Coordinates of all heavy atoms in Angstrom, one line a residue:
M1 N 0.8 -1.2 0.0 CA 0.0 0.0 0.1 C 0.9 1.2 0.1 O 1.8 1.3 0.7 CB -0.9 0.1 1.2 CG -2.1 -0.9 1.1 SD -3.0 -0.5 -0.3 CE -4.6 -1.4 0.1
N2 N 0.5 2.1 -0.8 CA 1.3 3.3 -0.9 C 0.7 4.5 -0.1 O -0.3 5.0 -0.5 CB 1.4 3.7 -2.4 CG 2.4 4.6 -2.7 OD1 3.3 5.1 -1.8 ND2 2.5 5.2 -3.9
R3 N 1.4 4.8 1.0 CA 0.8 5.9 1.8 C 1.6 7.2 1.4 O 2.8 7.1 1.2 CB 1.0 5.6 3.3 CG 0.1 4.5 3.9 CD 0.3 4.3 5.3 NE -0.6 3.3 5.8 CZ -1.8 3.4 6.2 NH1 -2.4 4.7 6.2 NH2 -2.5 2.5 6.6
C4 N 0.9 8.2 1.5 CA 1.6 9.5 1.4 C 1.0 10.6 2.2 O -0.1 10.4 2.7 CB 1.5 9.9 -0.1 SG -0.1 10.5 -0.6
C5 N 1.8 11.5 2.5 CA 1.3 12.6 3.4 C 0.5 13.7 2.4 O 1.0 14.1 1.5 CB 2.5 13.3 3.9 SG 2.1 15.0 4.6
P6 N -0.8 13.9 2.9 CA -1.6 14.7 2.1 C -1.3 16.1 2.1 O -1.5 16.9 1.1 CB -3.1 14.6 2.8 CG -2.8 14.1 4.2 CD -1.4 13.3 4.1
L7 N -0.5 16.5 3.1 CA 0.0 18.0 3.1 C 1.2 18.2 2.2 O 1.3 19.1 1.4 CB 0.3 18.3 4.6 CG 0.7 19.7 4.8 CD1 -0.5 20.6 4.4 CD2 0.9 20.1 6.2
C8 N 2.0 17.2 2.2 CA 3.1 17.3 1.3 C 2.8 17.3 -0.1 O 3.3 17.8 -1.1 CB 4.1 16.0 1.6 SG 5.2 16.2 2.9
N9 N 1.6 16.5 -0.3 CA 1.1 16.5 -1.8 C 0.2 17.4 -2.2 O -0.4 17.3 -3.2 CB 0.7 15.0 -1.8 CG 1.7 14.0 -2.0 OD1 2.4 13.8 -2.9 ND2 2.0 13.4 -0.9
G10 N -0.2 18.3 -1.2 CA -1.1 19.4 -1.6 C -2.5 19.1 -1.6 O -3.3 19.8 -2.1
F11 N -2.9 17.9 -0.9 CA -4.3 17.6 -0.9 C -5.0 18.4 0.1 O -6.2 18.6 0.0 CB -4.6 16.1 -0.6 CG -4.0 15.2 -1.7 CD1 -3.1 14.2 -1.4 CD2 -4.3 15.5 -3.0 CE1 -2.6 13.3 -2.4 CE2 -3.8 14.6 -4.1 CZ -3.0 13.5 -3.7
I12 N -4.3 18.7 1.3 CA -4.9 19.3 2.3 C -4.0 20.8 2.5 O -3.0 20.8 2.1 CB -5.1 18.6 3.5 CG1 -3.7 18.3 4.0 CG2 -6.0 17.5 3.3 CD1 -3.8 17.6 5.5
D13 N -4.6 21.6 3.2 CA -3.9 22.8 3.7 C -3.9 22.8 5.2 O -4.6 22.1 5.8 CB -4.9 24.1 3.1 CG -3.9 25.2 2.7 OD1 -2.7 25.1 3.1 OD2 -4.4 26.0 2.1
I14 N -3.1 23.7 5.8 CA -3.1 23.8 7.2 C -4.0 24.9 7.6 O -4.0 26.0 7.0 CB -1.6 24.2 7.6 CG1 -0.7 23.0 7.6 CG2 -1.6 24.9 9.0 CD1 -1.1 22.0 8.8
Y15 N -4.8 24.5 8.6 CA -5.7 25.6 9.2 C -5.4 25.7 10.7 O -6.1 25.0 11.4 CB -7.2 25.4 8.9 CG -7.5 25.7 7.4 CD1 -7.7 24.7 6.4 CD2 -7.7 27.0 7.2 CE1 -7.9 25.0 5.2 CE2 -8.0 27.5 5.8 CZ -8.0 26.5 4.8 OH -8.4 26.7 3.5
E16 N -4.5 26.3 10.9 CA -4.1 26.5 12.4 C -3.8 28.0 12.6 O -3.3 28.6 11.7 CB -2.7 25.7 12.6 CG -2.8 24.2 12.5 CD -2.9 23.6 13.9 OE1 -2.8 24.3 14.9 OE2 -3.0 22.4 13.9
F17 N -4.2 28.4 13.8 CA -4.0 29.9 14.1 C -3.1 29.9 15.3 O -3.1 29.1 16.1 CB -5.3 30.4 14.3 CG -6.2 30.6 13.0 CD1 -7.1 29.6 12.8 CD2 -6.0 31.6 12.3 CE1 -7.7 29.5 11.6 CE2 -6.7 31.7 11.1 CZ -7.7 30.8 10.7
C18 N -2.3 30.9 15.1 CA -1.2 31.0 16.1 C -1.7 31.4 17.5 O -2.6 32.3 17.6 CB -0.2 32.2 15.6 SG 1.0 32.7 16.8
P19 N -1.3 30.6 18.4 CA -1.8 30.9 19.9 C -1.3 32.2 20.5 O -1.9 32.7 21.3 CB -1.3 29.6 20.6 CG -0.1 29.3 19.9 CD -0.4 29.5 18.4
D20 N -0.3 32.7 19.8 CA 0.3 34.0 20.4 C -0.3 35.3 19.7 O -0.8 36.1 20.3 CB 1.7 34.1 20.1 CG 2.5 33.1 20.9 OD1 1.9 32.8 22.1 OD2 3.8 32.8 20.8
C21 N -0.5 35.3 18.4 CA -0.9 36.5 17.7 C -2.3 36.2 16.9 O -2.7 37.2 16.4 CB 0.2 37.0 16.8 SG 0.4 36.1 15.4
G22 N -2.6 35.1 16.7 CA -3.9 34.7 16.0 C -3.7 34.6 14.5 O -4.7 34.5 13.8
G23 N -2.5 34.8 14.0 CA -2.3 34.8 12.6 C -2.5 33.4 12.0 O -2.3 32.4 12.8
K24 N -2.7 33.4 10.8 CA -2.9 31.9 10.2 C -1.3 31.4 10.0 O -0.5 32.0 9.5 CB -3.5 32.1 8.8 CG -3.8 30.7 8.2 CD -4.6 30.8 6.9 CE -4.9 29.4 6.3 NZ -3.5 28.6 6.1
M25 N -1.3 30.2 10.6 CA 0.0 29.6 10.5 C 0.2 28.8 9.1 O -0.7 28.5 8.5 CB 0.1 28.5 11.6 CG 0.1 29.4 13.0 SD 0.4 28.3 14.5 CE 2.2 28.3 14.5
E26 N 1.4 28.7 8.8 CA 1.8 28.1 7.4 C 2.6 26.9 7.6 O 3.4 26.7 8.5 CB 2.3 29.2 6.6 CG 1.4 30.2 6.1 CD 2.0 31.2 5.1 OE1 3.2 30.9 4.7 OE2 1.4 32.2 4.8
D27 N 2.4 26.1 6.6 CA 3.3 24.9 6.6 C 4.6 25.0 6.2 O 5.0 25.7 5.1 CB 2.6 23.7 5.5 CG 3.5 22.7 5.3 OD1 4.2 22.2 6.3 OD2 3.4 22.0 4.3
G28 N 5.6 24.8 7.0 CA 7.0 24.9 6.7 C 7.7 23.8 6.0 O 8.9 23.8 5.8
G29 N 6.8 22.8 5.8 CA 7.5 21.6 5.1 C 7.6 20.4 6.1 O 7.6 20.6 7.3
A30 N 7.8 19.2 5.4 CA 8.1 18.1 6.4 C 9.5 18.3 7.0 O 10.4 18.6 6.3 CB 8.0 16.9 5.5
I31 N 9.5 17.8 8.3 CA 10.7 18.1 9.0 C 11.7 17.0 8.6 O 13.0 17.2 8.6 CB 10.5 18.0 10.5 CG1 9.8 19.2 10.9 CG2 11.8 17.8 11.3 CD1 9.4 19.3 12.4
N32 N 11.2 15.8 8.1 CA 12.1 14.8 7.6 C 13.0 15.3 6.5 O 14.1 14.9 6.3 CB 11.4 13.7 7.0 CG 10.6 12.9 8.1 OD1 10.8 13.1 9.3 ND2 9.9 12.0 7.8
E33 N 12.4 16.3 5.8 CA 13.3 16.9 4.7 C 14.1 18.1 5.1 O 14.9 18.7 4.3 CB 12.2 17.4 3.6 CG 11.5 16.2 2.9 CD 10.3 16.6 2.1 OE1 10.2 17.8 1.7 OE2 9.7 15.7 1.6
Y34 N 13.9 18.5 6.2 CA 14.8 19.6 6.8 C 16.1 19.0 7.1 O 16.3 18.0 7.9 CB 14.1 20.2 8.0 CG 13.3 21.4 7.8 CD1 12.2 21.3 7.1 CD2 13.5 22.6 8.3 CE1 11.3 22.4 6.7 CE2 12.8 23.7 8.1 CZ 11.7 23.5 7.4 OH 10.9 24.6 7.2
Y35 N 17.2 19.5 6.5 CA 18.5 19.0 6.9 C 19.2 20.2 7.5 O 19.8 21.0 6.7 CB 19.0 18.3 5.8 CG 20.3 17.6 6.2 CD1 20.3 16.5 7.2 CD2 21.7 18.0 5.9 CE1 21.4 15.9 7.6 CE2 22.8 17.4 6.3 CZ 22.6 16.3 7.1 OH 23.8 15.8 7.6
D36 N 19.4 20.2 8.7 CA 20.3 21.3 9.3 C 21.2 20.7 10.4 O 20.7 20.6 11.5 CB 19.4 22.4 9.8 CG 20.3 23.5 10.3 OD1 21.5 23.4 10.4 OD2 19.7 24.5 10.9
P37 N 22.3 20.2 10.1 CA 23.1 19.6 11.1 C 23.5 20.4 12.3 O 24.0 19.8 13.4 CB 24.3 19.1 10.3 CG 24.4 20.1 9.1 CD 23.0 20.5 8.8
Y38 N 23.2 21.7 12.2 CA 23.7 22.5 13.3 C 22.6 22.9 14.3 O 22.7 23.5 15.2 CB 24.3 23.9 12.7 CG 25.5 23.5 11.8 CD1 25.4 23.7 10.5 CD2 26.7 23.1 12.3 CE1 26.4 23.4 9.6 CE2 27.8 22.9 11.6 CZ 27.6 23.0 10.2 OH 28.7 22.7 9.5
S39 N 21.4 22.5 13.8 CA 20.1 22.7 14.7 C 19.9 21.7 15.7 O 19.6 20.6 15.4 CB 19.1 22.9 13.7 OG 17.9 23.1 14.7
P40 N 20.1 22.0 17.0 CA 19.7 21.0 18.0 C 18.2 20.8 18.0 O 17.8 19.7 18.5 CB 20.2 21.8 19.3 CG 20.1 23.3 19.1 CD 20.6 23.3 17.6
Y41 N 17.5 21.7 17.6 CA 16.0 21.5 17.5 C 15.6 20.4 16.7 O 14.8 19.5 17.0 CB 15.4 22.9 16.8 CG 13.9 22.8 16.8 CD1 13.0 22.9 17.8 CD2 13.4 22.8 15.4 CE1 11.7 22.8 17.6 CE2 12.0 22.8 15.3 CZ 11.2 22.7 16.4 OH 9.8 22.7 16.1
I42 N 16.3 20.1 15.5 CA 16.0 19.1 14.7 C 16.5 17.8 15.3 O 16.0 16.7 15.2 CB 16.6 19.3 13.2 CG1 16.0 20.6 12.7 CG2 16.3 18.1 12.4 CD1 14.5 20.6 12.4
E43 N 17.7 17.8 16.0 CA 18.2 16.6 16.6 C 17.3 16.0 17.6 O 17.2 14.8 17.7 CB 19.5 17.1 17.5 CG 20.7 17.1 16.7 CD 20.9 15.7 15.7 OE1 20.8 14.8 16.3 OE2 21.2 15.9 14.5
I44 N 16.6 16.8 18.3 CA 15.6 16.2 19.3 C 14.5 15.3 18.6 O 14.2 14.3 19.1 CB 14.7 17.4 19.9 CG1 15.8 18.2 20.7 CG2 13.6 16.9 20.8 CD1 15.2 19.6 21.3
I45 N 14.2 15.5 17.3 CA 13.3 14.7 16.7 C 14.2 13.5 16.1 O 14.6 13.5 15.0 CB 12.6 15.5 15.4 CG1 12.1 16.7 15.9 CG2 11.5 14.6 14.9 CD1 12.0 17.7 14.7
S46 N 14.5 12.6 17.0 CA 15.5 11.7 16.6 C 14.9 10.7 15.7 O 13.8 10.6 15.3 CB 16.0 10.9 17.9 OG 14.8 10.2 18.4
S47 N 15.8 9.8 15.1 CA 15.5 8.9 14.1 C 14.4 7.9 14.8 O 13.6 7.3 14.0 CB 16.7 8.0 13.7 OG 17.4 7.7 14.8
R48 N 14.3 7.8 16.1 CA 13.5 6.9 16.8 C 12.1 7.3 16.4 O 11.2 6.5 16.2 CB 13.6 7.0 18.3 CG 12.9 6.0 19.1 CD 13.2 6.3 20.6 NE 12.6 7.5 21.0 CZ 11.3 7.5 21.7 NH1 10.8 6.3 22.1 NH2 10.9 8.6 22.0
E49 N 11.7 8.7 16.5 CA 10.4 9.1 16.3 C 10.1 8.8 14.8 O 9.0 8.4 14.3 CB 10.3 10.6 16.5 CG 8.8 11.0 16.7 CD 8.7 12.3 17.4 OE1 9.8 12.9 17.6 OE2 7.7 12.9 17.4
R50 N 11.1 9.0 13.9 CA 10.8 8.8 12.6 C 10.5 7.4 12.3 O 9.6 7.0 11.5 CB 12.1 9.1 11.7 CG 12.0 10.4 11.0 CD 13.3 10.7 10.3 NE 14.0 11.8 10.8 CZ 15.3 12.1 10.3 NH1 15.8 11.4 9.3 NH2 15.8 13.1 10.9
F51 N 11.1 6.4 13.0 CA 10.9 5.0 12.7 C 9.5 4.6 13.1 O 8.7 3.8 12.6 CB 11.9 4.1 13.4 CG 13.2 4.1 12.5 CD1 14.4 4.4 13.1 CD2 13.0 3.5 11.2 CE1 15.5 4.4 12.2 CE2 14.2 3.4 10.5 CZ 15.5 3.9 11.1
E52 N 9.2 5.2 14.3 CA 8.0 4.8 15.0 C 6.7 5.4 14.4 O 5.6 5.1 14.6 CB 7.9 5.0 16.5 CG 8.9 4.3 17.3 CD 8.9 4.6 18.8 OE1 8.3 5.5 19.1 OE2 9.7 4.0 19.4
N53 N 6.9 6.3 13.6 CA 5.8 7.0 13.0 C 5.9 7.0 11.5 O 5.8 8.0 10.8 CB 5.7 8.5 13.4 CG 5.3 8.5 15.0 OD1 4.2 8.3 15.3 ND2 6.3 8.9 15.7
D54 N 5.9 5.8 11.0 CA 6.1 5.6 9.6 C 4.7 6.0 8.9 O 4.7 6.3 7.7 CB 6.3 4.2 9.3 CG 7.0 4.0 8.0 OD1 7.8 4.9 7.6 OD2 6.9 2.9 7.3
N55 N 3.8 6.0 9.7 CA 2.3 6.5 9.2 C 2.1 7.8 9.2 O 0.9 8.4 8.9 CB 1.3 5.5 9.7 CG 1.3 4.2 9.3 OD1 1.8 3.8 8.3 ND2 0.9 3.2 10.2
E56 N 3.0 8.6 9.8 CA 2.8 10.0 10.0 C 3.9 10.8 9.5 O 5.1 10.3 9.4 CB 2.6 10.3 11.6 CG 1.4 9.8 12.1 CD 1.4 9.9 13.7 OE1 2.5 9.8 14.3 OE2 0.4 10.2 14.2
C57 N 3.6 12.0 8.9 CA 4.5 12.9 8.5 C 4.6 14.1 9.4 O 3.7 14.6 9.6 CB 4.2 13.3 7.0 SG 5.3 14.3 6.2
L58 N 5.9 14.3 9.8 CA 6.1 15.4 10.8 C 6.4 16.7 10.0 O 7.3 16.8 9.1 CB 7.3 15.1 11.7 CG 7.4 15.8 13.0 CD1 6.1 15.5 13.9 CD2 8.6 15.4 13.8
H59 N 5.5 17.7 10.3 CA 5.7 19.0 9.7 C 6.1 20.2 10.6 O 5.6 20.0 11.8 CB 4.4 19.4 8.8 CG 4.2 18.7 7.6 ND1 4.4 19.5 6.3 CD2 4.1 17.5 7.3 CE1 4.2 18.6 5.4 NE2 3.9 17.4 5.8
L60 N 6.7 21.1 10.1 CA 6.9 22.2 11.0 C 5.9 23.3 10.5 O 5.7 23.7 9.3 CB 8.3 22.9 10.6 CG 8.7 24.1 11.4 CD1 9.0 23.7 12.8 CD2 9.9 24.7 10.7
I61 N 5.0 23.7 11.4 CA 4.0 24.7 11.2 C 4.5 26.0 11.8 O 4.9 26.0 13.0 CB 2.7 24.3 11.8 CG1 2.4 22.9 11.4 CG2 1.6 25.2 11.4 CD1 2.1 22.7 10.1
Y62 N 4.6 27.1 11.0 CA 5.1 28.3 11.5 C 4.2 29.4 11.5 O 3.3 29.5 10.4 CB 6.5 28.6 11.0 CG 6.4 29.1 9.6 CD1 6.4 30.4 9.3 CD2 6.4 28.1 8.6 CE1 6.4 30.7 7.9 CE2 6.3 28.5 7.3 CZ 6.3 29.9 7.0 OH 6.2 30.3 5.6
C63 N 4.4 30.3 12.2 CA 3.5 31.7 12.0 C 4.4 32.8 11.3 O 5.4 33.0 11.9 CB 3.1 32.2 13.4 SG 2.4 33.8 13.4
P64 N 4.0 33.1 10.2 CA 4.8 34.1 9.5 C 4.8 35.5 10.1 O 5.5 36.3 9.8 CB 4.2 34.1 8.0 CG 2.7 33.7 8.3 CD 2.8 32.8 9.6
F65 N 3.9 35.7 11.1 CA 3.7 37.1 11.7 C 4.7 37.2 13.0 O 5.3 38.3 13.1 CB 2.3 37.3 12.1 CG 1.4 37.1 10.9 CD1 0.7 36.0 10.8 CD2 1.4 38.2 10.0 CE1 -0.1 35.7 9.6 CE2 0.5 37.9 8.9 CZ -0.3 36.8 8.7
C66 N 4.7 36.3 13.8 CA 5.6 36.4 15.0 C 6.6 35.4 15.0 O 7.5 35.5 15.9 CB 4.6 36.4 16.2 SG 4.0 34.7 16.7
G67 N 6.6 34.4 14.2 CA 7.8 33.5 14.1 C 7.6 32.2 15.0 O 8.5 31.4 15.0
R68 N 6.5 32.1 15.7 CA 6.3 31.0 16.5 C 6.3 29.8 15.7 O 5.7 29.8 14.5 CB 5.0 31.2 17.2 CG 4.8 30.0 18.3 CD 3.3 30.0 18.9 NE 3.1 28.9 19.7 CZ 3.2 28.9 21.1 NH1 3.5 30.1 21.7 NH2 3.0 27.8 21.7
D69 N 6.7 28.7 16.1 CA 6.5 27.4 15.2 C 6.3 26.1 16.2 O 6.4 26.3 17.3 CB 7.8 27.1 14.3 CG 9.0 27.0 15.1 OD1 9.0 26.5 16.3 OD2 10.1 27.4 14.5
K70 N 5.9 25.2 15.6 CA 5.5 24.0 16.3 C 5.5 22.9 15.4 O 5.5 23.0 14.1 CB 4.2 24.1 17.0 CG 3.1 24.1 16.1 CD 1.7 24.0 16.8 CE 0.5 23.8 15.9 NZ -0.6 23.4 16.7
R71 N 5.6 21.6 15.9 CA 5.6 20.5 15.0 C 4.3 19.8 15.0 O 3.5 19.8 16.1 CB 6.6 19.4 15.5 CG 7.9 19.8 15.2 CD 9.0 18.9 15.9 NE 9.1 19.5 17.3 CZ 9.6 18.7 18.3 NH1 9.9 17.5 18.2 NH2 9.6 19.4 19.6
E72 N 3.8 19.3 13.9 CA 2.5 18.8 13.9 C 2.6 17.5 13.0 O 3.3 17.4 12.0 CB 1.6 19.8 13.1 CG 0.1 19.4 12.8 CD -0.7 19.9 14.0 OE1 -0.2 20.6 14.9 OE2 -1.9 19.6 13.9
K73 N 2.0 16.5 13.6 CA 1.9 15.2 12.8 C 0.8 15.1 12.0 O -0.2 15.4 12.3 CB 2.0 14.0 13.9 CG 3.3 13.9 14.6 CD 3.1 12.7 15.7 CE 4.4 12.6 16.5 NZ 4.3 11.9 17.6
I74 N 1.1 14.8 10.7 CA 0.2 14.7 9.7 C 0.0 13.2 9.4 O 0.9 12.5 9.0 CB 0.4 15.4 8.4 CG1 0.8 17.0 8.8 CG2 -0.7 15.3 7.5 CD1 -0.2 17.8 9.3
K75 N -1.2 12.8 9.5 CA -1.4 11.2 9.2 C -1.3 11.1 7.7 O -2.0 11.7 6.9 CB -2.7 10.8 9.7 CG -2.8 10.4 11.1 CD -3.8 9.3 11.4 CE -4.0 9.0 13.0 NZ -2.7 8.9 13.5
K76 N -0.5 10.0 7.3 CA -0.4 9.8 5.9 C -1.7 9.0 5.5 O -2.2 8.3 6.4 CB 0.8 8.9 5.6 CG 2.0 9.6 5.9 CD 3.3 8.9 5.6 CE 4.5 9.6 5.6 NZ 5.8 8.8 5.4
V77 N -2.1 9.1 4.4 CA -3.3 8.5 3.9 C -2.9 7.6 2.7 O -1.9 7.7 2.1 CB -4.3 9.5 3.3 CG1 -4.8 10.4 4.5 CG2 -3.8 10.5 2.2
L78 N -3.8 6.6 2.5 CA -3.5 5.8 1.3 C -3.8 6.7 0.0 O -4.8 7.4 0.0 CB -4.5 4.6 1.3 CG -4.3 3.5 2.3 CD1 -5.3 2.5 2.4 CD2 -2.9 2.9 2.3
L79 N -3.0 6.5 -0.9 CA -3.1 7.3 -2.1 C -4.5 7.0 -2.9 O -5.1 8.0 -3.3 CB -2.0 6.9 -3.1 CG -1.5 8.0 -4.1 CD1 -1.2 9.3 -3.3 CD2 -0.3 7.5 -4.8
D80 N -5.0 5.9 -2.7 CA -6.2 5.7 -3.4 C -7.3 6.5 -2.8 O -8.4 6.6 -3.4 CB -6.8 4.2 -3.1 CG -5.7 3.2 -4.0 OD1 -5.0 3.8 -4.8 OD2 -5.7 2.0 -3.7
G81 N -7.3 6.8 -1.6 CA -8.3 7.8 -0.9 C -8.5 9.1 -1.5 O -9.5 9.7 -1.2
Y82 N -7.5 9.5 -2.3 CA -7.8 10.7 -2.9 C -7.7 10.7 -4.4 O -6.7 10.3 -5.1 CB -6.5 11.7 -2.5 CG -6.7 12.2 -1.1 CD1 -6.1 11.4 0.0 CD2 -7.4 13.3 -0.8 CE1 -6.3 11.9 1.3 CE2 -7.6 13.8 0.4 CZ -7.0 13.1 1.4 OH -7.1 13.6 2.7
K83 N -8.8 10.8 -5.1 CA -8.9 10.8 -6.5 C -8.5 12.1 -7.1 O -8.9 13.1 -6.6 CB -10.3 10.5 -7.0 CG -10.7 9.1 -6.4 CD -10.3 8.0 -7.2 CE -10.9 6.7 -6.7 NZ -9.8 5.6 -6.5
L84 N -7.6 12.1 -8.0 CA -7.2 13.4 -8.6 C -8.3 13.9 -9.5 O -8.9 13.1 -10.3 CB -5.8 13.2 -9.4 CG -4.7 12.9 -8.5 CD1 -3.4 12.5 -9.5 CD2 -4.4 14.1 -7.6
K85 N -8.5 15.1 -9.5 CA -9.5 15.6 -10.3 C -9.1 15.8 -11.8 O -8.0 16.3 -11.9 CB -10.2 16.9 -9.7 CG -11.0 16.7 -8.5 CD -11.3 18.0 -7.8 CE -11.9 17.7 -6.5 NZ -11.9 19.0 -5.6
Ligands
LIG1 ZN1 4.1 15.7 4.8
LIG2 ZN1 1.9 34.4 15.7

């Protein structure tokens, strides 16, 4: 079965509002794809979490207004569940 992240593939959009300023938060991309060897922040999301969450895609959601960010797990879906129009 081919699972994919609906957010990575543009099937869904992020509708989260910043708890600090109320601005609409945006998807910063999948953290798995972030590669920054100097960032301890990324180190915390160890490979352990990656392995255990094969059905989820970890995204960085950020507020473009105040810079707050957080991690959000997006459940991967079966590709069949989304018919392309
Ligand atoms: Zn994703
Ligand atoms: Zn904000």
Side-chain angles (χ1 to χ4, degrees):
M1 282 300 195
N2 198 7
R3 285 183 185 274
C4 72
C5 168
L7 187 54
C8 284
N9 287 275
F11 295 130
I12 61 169
D13 218 342
I14 281 292
Y15 283 101
E16 291 259 0
F17 292 93
C18 176
D20 287 343
C21 75
K24 186 178 180 299
M25 300 182 85
E26 292 186 7
D27 174 31
I31 290 180
N32 293 352
E33 292 169 8
Y34 267 60
Y35 186 68
D36 182 359
Y38 301 106
S39 171
Y41 177 70
I42 302 297
E43 271 311 306
I44 293 167
I45 315 157
S46 64
S47 51
R48 190 182 71 104
E49 195 168 359
R50 255 184 249 174
F51 278 120
E52 289 179 357
N53 290 290
D54 206 29
N55 291 330
E56 291 171 326
C57 184
L58 201 56
H59 277 251
L60 183 73
I61 310 297
Y62 72 96
C63 172
F65 304 100
C66 73
R68 185 188 175 100
D69 60 29
K70 64 173 195 162
R71 282 167 280 159
E72 183 92 1
K73 285 174 187 168
I74 309 293
K75 276 211 188 309
K76 291 185 182 178
V77 296
L78 293 175
L79 206 53
D80 292 347
Y82 285 90
K83 300 279 183 227
L84 294 175
K85 286 170 189 167

